[in-house]
Amino acid sequence: MYALPDRVILDEIQLAPELFRLLKLSVDRHRINGQFILTGSTNVLFLPELTDALTGRMLIVRLHPLSQVEIEQTKSTPFLERLFTGDFRMSQSEPLGSNLADRIVAGGYPPALAIPVDRIRSSWYNSYVVSLIQHDITGQVKVHSPDSLPSLITAVAGLSAQLFNASSIASQLQMNRNTIRHYLSLLERHFLIKRLPPWYSNRMKRMIKTPKIHIGDTGLACSLLNIDANDLQKDRNLLGQLLESFVFQELRRQASSSSKPYRFYHFRDRYGVEADMIIELGGSKLAGVEIKAGASITSSDFKALRKIKAAHEDRFTFGALLYDGELCASFGDGMFAVPIRMLWETDSKP
């Protein structure tokens, strides 16, 4: 350990737990910021040996797949900042059309994006999942039915952006519900899926407190489901689901590069009123996001956001309905219709 250079990168650190105590000794003896960069495909918070050894000695940074901002290399004001300031001007832009499905299918993993052939890119995603399950997940914890994990994550891909229902998934795969919950936790700690918690308030009644489940990357989802952009455009229900996951992951990736404390939720009540995303900034501000795959919207599409705003006038700032249309326009009362491409682009054609 002490023969190493002053700056060292240790990849896949979860596979070498015997190094954790040595790392602690070295850090305690040589207090140099950035002495070690530890990378891995597992959430370190689920590695008790590592966190126990390095508590107070490490900064954890989650590295997401690439956002559309990074892929396009745009330098516009981040969408999340614009959302909380209502910085949306009347403007016009071209709908994404088929390009939207292309982006969803491509996903954000850099090695996959470097592959120009869809079929080969899909093979890369599938190989990645198999490798992660065989070498990381089953190599770290005891899994009674490792062969069921690919089926489970494929099932989640088809249920992305829906309410989490362990019983339904267990019935579909003919597995025990507790086993499903355990395996989903394993997939989540390896960043393959993400549960979106419900937002609720004591000012509102009869709210559903069930999380949504999202696939970690839509390119991965499409590969698992064996669909391409043409298939996705034909299946409007699946397009709507994966578009919601696409936007959710895009905003999480943007938030990860911000110094501001954004937290993400969804909202649904027992009256059928629902909002795809409620975003908290600190403890004092709220904003809402709705998502539609179509090119037309009406005032009624803002029903959920207006309901939340009415109950939280003191906290709710602005609401945005993202859709694949042409106009960025105000619908009054702090509500805006915003073309999806403005997640990563600036206004155009005012």
Side-chain angles (χ1 to χ4, degrees):
M1 178 67 67
Y2 302 114
L4 294 174
D6 291 339
R7 298 286 190 269
V8 178
I9 298 175
L10 300 175
D11 192 20
E12 299 298 348
I13 189 63
Q14 75 276 4
L15 301 179
E18 67 276 6
L19 294 180
F20 298 164
R21 293 295 171 184
L22 294 175
L23 288 169
K24 178 182 178 180
L25 289 173
S26 182
V27 170
D28 287 346
R29 292 180 181 180
H30 306 278
R31 289 285 183 172
I32 303 173
N33 289 338
Q35 181 180 359
F36 297 103
I37 296 178
L38 312 178
T39 67
S41 54
T42 302
N43 188 334
V44 297
L45 296 177
F46 292 97
L47 298 174
E49 302 94 338
L50 178 59
T51 52
D52 289 347
L54 297 179
T55 297
R57 299 171 177 85
M58 65 179 176
L59 172 66
I60 300 173
V61 178
R62 165 74 196 280
L63 294 180
H64 294 264
L66 294 178
S67 67
Q68 296 300 307
V69 171
E70 293 170 310
I71 293 170
E72 297 296 327
Q73 298 184 343
T74 56
K75 297 181 179 180
S76 58
T77 302
F79 178 84
L80 283 173
E81 290 188 18
R82 302 177 70 186
L83 176 63
F84 277 89
T85 58
D87 182 21
F88 300 114
R89 298 182 300 275
M90 180 72 177
S91 61
Q92 186 173 0
S93 58
E94 292 292 328
L96 288 165
S98 61
N99 182 253
L100 179 57
D102 290 335
R103 290 173 183 269
I104 292 172
V105 170
Y109 281 81
L113 290 170
I115 301 172
V117 181
D118 293 347
R119 177 178 54 80
I120 301 176
R121 184 173 60 225
S122 180
S123 296
W124 183 91
Y125 273 120
N126 286 310
S127 297
Y128 172 76
V129 171
V130 170
S131 177
L132 194 64
I133 289 173
Q134 290 181 348
H135 297 101
D136 280 23
I137 298 179
T138 59
Q140 293 175 38
V141 296
K142 186 175 181 179
V143 178
H144 295 293
S145 302
D147 292 341
S148 65
L149 286 172
S151 298
L152 176 57
I153 189 173
T154 300
V156 172
L159 297 171
S160 195
Q162 295 189 13
L163 292 180
F164 170 64
N165 188 325
S167 297
S168 176
I169 299 174
S171 176
Q172 178 181 336
L173 298 180
Q174 297 183 337
M175 295 174 61
N176 179 274
R177 183 173 61 181
N178 291 331
T179 300
I180 289 290
R181 290 184 182 276
H182 173 57
Y183 286 0
L184 287 173
S185 295
L186 293 178
L187 295 177
E188 189 164 18
R189 73 175 62 174
H190 285 82
F191 311 115
L192 292 173
I193 65 172
K194 175 65 178 177
R195 275 175 273 206
L196 180 63
W199 180 85
Y200 48 90
S201 160
N202 56 14
R203 300 184 190 180
M204 304 179 74
K205 298 179 180 180
R206 301 182 64 82
M207 290 180 290
I208 292 176
K209 299 181 179 181
T210 303
K212 277 188 174 183
I213 192 164
H214 283 278
I215 195 73
D217 183 86
T218 55
L220 183 65
C222 292
S223 295
L224 290 167
L225 295 171
N226 194 29
I227 59 172
D228 59 19
N230 289 329
D231 298 326
L232 191 59
Q233 284 186 285
K234 295 174 183 177
D235 189 337
R236 302 300 295 181
N237 289 332
L238 186 59
L239 175 62
Q241 289 177 227
L242 292 182
L243 176 59
E244 185 177 332
S245 292
F246 175 83
V247 172
F248 169 56
Q249 299 297 357
E250 175 68 19
L251 293 181
R252 287 184 68 227
R253 293 165 191 178
Q254 289 188 22
S256 70
S257 62
S258 173
S259 60
K260 297 180 179 179
Y262 296 107
R263 292 191 298 273
F264 296 85
Y265 306 88
H266 79 92
F267 169 81
R268 182 176 296 193
D269 66 19
R270 296 186 186 277
Y271 304 105
V273 179
E274 57 182 304
D276 295 326
M277 265 181 282
I278 300 298
I279 306 168
E280 286 189 346
L281 176 55
S284 61
K285 294 183 179 181
L286 290 174
V289 174
E290 285 276 44
I291 301 144
K292 287 189 67 175
S296 62
I297 56 176
T298 66
S299 182
S300 62
D301 292 322
F302 293 90
K303 179 180 179 180
L305 299 183
R306 293 187 190 279
K307 183 173 184 177
I308 297 170
K309 180 179 175 64
H312 290 272
E313 289 279 1
D314 56 331
R315 297 183 62 199
F316 196 93
T317 55
F318 298 96
L321 195 157
L322 292 165
Y323 76 122
D324 192 26
E326 297 181 353
L327 293 178
C328 178
S330 171
F331 271 66
D333 200 27
M335 303 294 164
F336 299 90
V338 182
I340 290 172
R341 68 188 313 143
M342 286 179 61
L343 279 172
W344 59 89
E345 293 182 358
T346 55
D347 300 321
S348 61
K349 299 181 183 178

